[in-house]
Amino acid sequence: MAMAGVSYIGLLRSNAPYRRLFTANEISYIGDWFSMIALFLLAGEASNNSPLAIAGVLATRSFTFAPLEPLTGMLADRYPRKWLMVLGNIWSFTILVIALSLGKLDSLTSVYLLGMAMVVGRAISSNAESAYVPNICTKEELLSANALSSGGWSAAMGIGAGIGGLTISQYGIETALWIDSVTFLFAIALIMTLPHGGPEKSGSLSSNPRAMLDEILSGWKYILSKPSIRRVVLAKAMWASGGGAQVFLLILIGREAGFGDVAAGIGILYMARGFGSGFGPIVSRRLMSNDRLVPYLLGGVLLISGAFYIAVAASDWTMIILVYVFISHAASGVNWVLSTTMLQQRSEDEWLGRVFGTDSLGITLTMGLSTVAAGMILENDILSLRETIMATGTIQILAGILWLILASPNEIKLISETDS
């Protein structure tokens, strides 16, 4: 698969467009986590800390994101990807400023509506970005670029969640949301300096809804006709089967673990998650470029992700669980980066947006269902918090075993065919 290549420092030094995109994302992602911590806390305040209401923040975002993914993926194959990224950030900035100006975030409905409205902006930009990266990076740069982007997203999550939690503790929720709004402006300014980057379309494009639907359906037919793409599209969703609930459960662990007040506790756990999911891909680049290991990696890292959440459930909630969360999400970061790189390398440019739209549809829909299921289980006292955490880890382990049994043999065959 020819995925080894450029060093991280070498990529940032030599590829100016990627460097600017990376910087824009870092600024925007840090702000995102100021808002996420704020939304979790607002939902808790509005519902007497109902687990299902807090889970609803993530679930409503996921269920808003999921149906938009095929549409925004199709748009990324039709219209300039650079300007879709700009549009997504403008949308998010506008929505957040309007919400702050109106000052009505005291009900659960208003919290959900704000989260749903903001995720529209991210949906517009995310598939455009995934399809844009291969336009500004060579094939030799792709693995390093995706690992660095994942590391940057994760570091931004860690920094944003940690500082965001402390900011809310000291200055309040509204201040954190205003800080997030400013980060969108910085991201817009940087993205506007990027080169065109595709897609290359000739002739006029029909804006007829039927024509657009046909393009979405043709994208799904393309994926179904390519087994090497079809099985990788499911990789992130396999993690999300348990991972969606885990992202929500970290909030509840943060409330009980005693790492300072609630905002700080949630922030510290999300910091461990963020730094872990960035660390894993950064240090595992050699493993991800090893043809003998690649067929097993996507399944193997699911086993690790699940095992360390089982360790979280089984241990005392002292500082040691930060290590377990870190390691689990380091493994999930490898899943994310490796599957993204494989899709970019195996898909033709004209299909990239729709491939990533389908990829995102799978993960966001699965995360939403996983989150709602965990929230309902806890709301109705079907399982305890620790038992629910253990169940999510078990689901990931089973998903990893399925990958190793069903997909790994086909990946080995694909590599042997490529080598011959």
Side-chain angles (χ1 to χ4, degrees):
M1 296 196 324
M3 291 200 297
V6 182
S7 70
Y8 302 122
I9 299 299
L11 175 62
L12 289 173
R13 282 179 174 172
S14 63
N15 192 327
Y18 176 80
R19 183 172 65 245
R20 292 197 294 273
L21 178 62
F22 177 82
T23 304
N25 284 337
E26 282 300 281
I27 294 169
S28 179
Y29 289 148
I30 287 172
D32 282 353
W33 284 95
F34 277 66
S35 287
M36 285 303 301
I37 300 297
L39 292 175
F40 293 148
L41 294 172
L42 286 168
E45 290 174 3
S47 65
N48 294 318
N49 290 319
S50 160
L52 187 58
I54 297 171
V57 173
L58 291 170
T60 52
R61 284 170 59 90
S62 292
F63 291 138
T64 302
F65 210 101
L68 291 174
E69 291 304 297
L71 173 62
T72 59
M74 178 271 297
L75 294 177
D77 286 337
R78 280 178 142 248
Y79 303 111
R81 292 159 184 167
K82 164 187 169 178
W83 294 108
L84 288 173
M85 290 187 282
V86 170
L87 177 61
N89 280 279
I90 290 174
W91 172 277
S92 298
F93 169 78
T94 304
I95 290 295
L96 191 50
V97 169
I98 290 173
L100 286 166
S101 299
L102 294 175
K104 293 183 178 180
L105 291 174
D106 54 352
S107 72
L108 197 57
T109 300
S110 63
V111 172
Y112 288 169
L113 287 175
L114 175 59
M116 291 166 65
M118 289 189 66
V119 87
V120 172
R122 186 58 70 191
I124 293 170
S125 62
S126 64
N127 289 321
E129 180 190 334
S130 295
Y132 181 81
V133 169
N135 298 145
I136 59 171
C137 295
T138 65
K139 284 194 173 183
E140 291 73 25
E141 291 174 327
L142 272 180
L143 182 60
S144 294
N146 288 319
L148 199 54
S149 294
S150 175
W153 176 86
S154 304
M157 182 206 298
I159 295 167
I163 299 176
L166 293 173
T167 299
I168 292 170
S169 296
Q170 295 295 318
Y171 303 106
I173 287 173
E174 189 171 325
T175 299
L177 293 174
W178 277 114
I179 290 172
D180 186 20
S181 69
V182 174
T183 64
F184 291 119
L185 295 179
F186 282 103
I188 291 166
L190 281 169
I191 293 170
M192 288 180 70
T193 69
L194 296 175
H196 167 65
E200 301 301 335
K201 291 285 186 181
S202 59
S204 60
L205 295 169
S206 172
S207 58
N208 186 297
R210 179 57 187 267
M212 291 185 173
L213 178 61
D214 287 343
E215 288 186 36
I216 293 172
L217 294 176
S218 66
W220 289 345
K221 290 177 183 177
Y222 172 78
I223 293 168
L224 291 173
S225 70
K226 304 280 186 180
S228 63
I229 296 173
R230 185 176 65 226
R231 58 178 171 264
V232 178
V233 162
L234 298 175
K236 295 187 185 75
M238 293 178 79
W239 170 83
S241 60
Q246 290 163 359
V247 171
F248 151 62
L249 294 171
L250 285 177
I251 303 164
L252 304 186
I253 297 170
R255 284 167 40 189
E256 295 191 16
F259 302 137
D261 68 12
V262 174
I266 295 171
I268 289 169
L269 278 163
Y270 271 85
M271 185 184 296
R273 175 198 168 199
F275 289 150
S277 54
F279 178 83
I282 292 291
V283 301
S284 301
R285 187 165 59 112
R286 289 187 181 276
L287 297 179
M288 290 188 283
S289 61
N290 187 322
D291 283 352
R292 289 180 296 177
L293 292 178
V294 164
Y296 308 102
L297 267 182
L298 290 177
V301 293
L302 287 172
L303 299 178
I304 296 170
S305 293
F308 277 92
Y309 262 92
I310 290 176
V312 169
S315 67
D316 293 331
W317 285 351
T318 60
M319 289 293 179
I320 190 62
I321 67 170
L322 299 178
V323 177
Y324 298 154
V325 170
F326 179 94
I327 295 173
S328 176
H329 287 280
S332 71
V334 173
N335 174 286
W336 189 283
V337 168
L338 182 57
S339 61
T340 297
T341 305
M342 292 165 83
L343 290 176
Q344 287 171 336
Q345 291 196 329
R346 295 176 181 184
S347 306
E348 298 166 71
D349 183 72
E350 65 181 294
W351 301 100
L352 273 172
R354 281 164 286 181
V355 167
F356 279 106
T358 306
D359 181 56
S360 297
L361 171 64
I363 187 173
T364 52
L365 185 59
T366 307
M367 285 189 74
L369 293 171
S370 176
T371 302
V372 169
M376 293 181 68
I377 286 168
L378 293 170
E379 187 80 8
N380 295 289
D381 296 321
I382 298 171
L383 296 174
S384 69
L385 177 55
R386 287 180 181 271
E387 289 169 341
T388 305
I389 296 166
M390 191 166 292
T392 65
T394 302
I395 290 170
Q396 288 177 320
I397 288 173
L398 292 174
I401 292 171
L402 281 175
W403 173 272
L404 293 173
I405 293 173
L406 299 177
S408 293
N410 292 312
E411 286 293 312
I412 294 169
K413 182 180 178 181
L414 177 65
I415 288 174
S416 64
E417 290 173 351
T418 304
D419 289 342
S420 62

